[in-house]
Amino acid sequence: MSAENKAFVLDTVRKIGRTAAESLQEHAPDMSGTEIIAEESFLPDFDAKRQYLHYKAGYVCLTAAGNAVKLVQPYDSTIFTGQPEELPAQWGFYWSTDPKKAKPFLSLATSPYMTGDCCTYEGHVWRSGQDGNTWAPGSVGVKWDDLGTIEEVQG
């Protein structure tokens, strides 16, 4: 393949990716966490140097820890400089019902797990058996189903 053909292919792939990313931002408000996480490769990375004061609520990105998040409320990111995991009042987290896409458990009152949402915890993949779940799998009185080890479930 000539250098000219490679450049054409790369340019075309970049345009397709940009179009997919723009479409994902546009449709995100109507998508479930499972749908968004399935398309997370098209999410822009969270950028701690970016000013999120003028972004619209609902902007979706991927944190350095690999979590899909949406902007709940714009904020002055020059003052509040943390990652979304440290700023749960500004960012809402998406969880997937697909155990192969489960992310490490986070206890966030602002983004609880709902029935069917999955997470990983202590080497296993878990499925929430109740809505409003912010307690770690294995906690007394909290319904989680152990789906198996991360290796068994996610390969």
Side-chain angles (χ1 to χ4, degrees), residues 123-135:
H124 284 247
V125 177
W126 301 83
R127 184 182 307 277
S128 177
Q130 67 186 58
D131 286 344
N133 197 349
T134 61
W135 297 93

Side-chain angles (χ1 to χ4, degrees), residues 47-144:
D47 182 356
K49 294 176 184 169
R50 183 173 289 153
Q51 173 55 278
Y52 288 97
L53 186 61
H54 304 293
Y55 277 66
K56 291 182 181 177
Y59 170 78
V60 182
C61 62
L62 199 63
T63 72
N67 291 306
V69 295
K70 68 178 171 184
L71 185 62
V72 175
Q73 58 183 351
Y75 66 101
D76 189 339
S77 52
T78 62
I79 295 172
F80 302 103
T81 59
Q83 290 286 318
E85 288 82 2
E86 301 166 297
L87 301 166
Q90 279 74 33
W91 296 95
F93 287 70
Y94 290 105
W95 312 124
S96 181
T97 59
D98 180 354
K100 291 186 177 296
K101 298 284 189 172
K103 306 287 184 178
F105 173 78
L106 291 174
S107 179
L108 299 168
T110 54
S111 297
Y113 295 84
M114 296 300 172
T115 302
D117 288 342
C118 296
C119 72
T120 61
Y121 186 73
E122 294 186 346
H124 284 247
V125 177
W126 301 83
R127 184 182 307 277
S128 177
Q130 67 186 58
D131 286 344
N133 197 349
T134 61
W135 297 93
S139 298
V140 175
V142 180
K143 179 71 172 137
W144 284 99

Side-chain angles (χ1 to χ4, degrees), residues 8-68:
F8 173 76
V9 169
L10 284 174
D11 186 52
T12 301
V13 170
R14 285 184 187 113
K15 286 178 182 175
I16 292 169
R18 187 175 329 114
T19 300
E22 289 168 355
S23 177
L24 181 55
Q25 288 294 332
E26 180 183 336
H27 293 98
D30 300 320
M31 296 172 71
S32 70
T34 302
E35 293 168 324
I36 287 177
I37 290 171
E39 300 293 326
E40 67 185 4
S41 63
F42 294 109
L43 292 177
D45 291 333
F46 171 80
D47 182 356
K49 294 176 184 169
R50 183 173 289 153
Q51 173 55 278
Y52 288 97
L53 186 61
H54 304 293
Y55 277 66
K56 291 182 181 177
Y59 170 78
V60 182
C61 62
L62 199 63
T63 72
N67 291 306

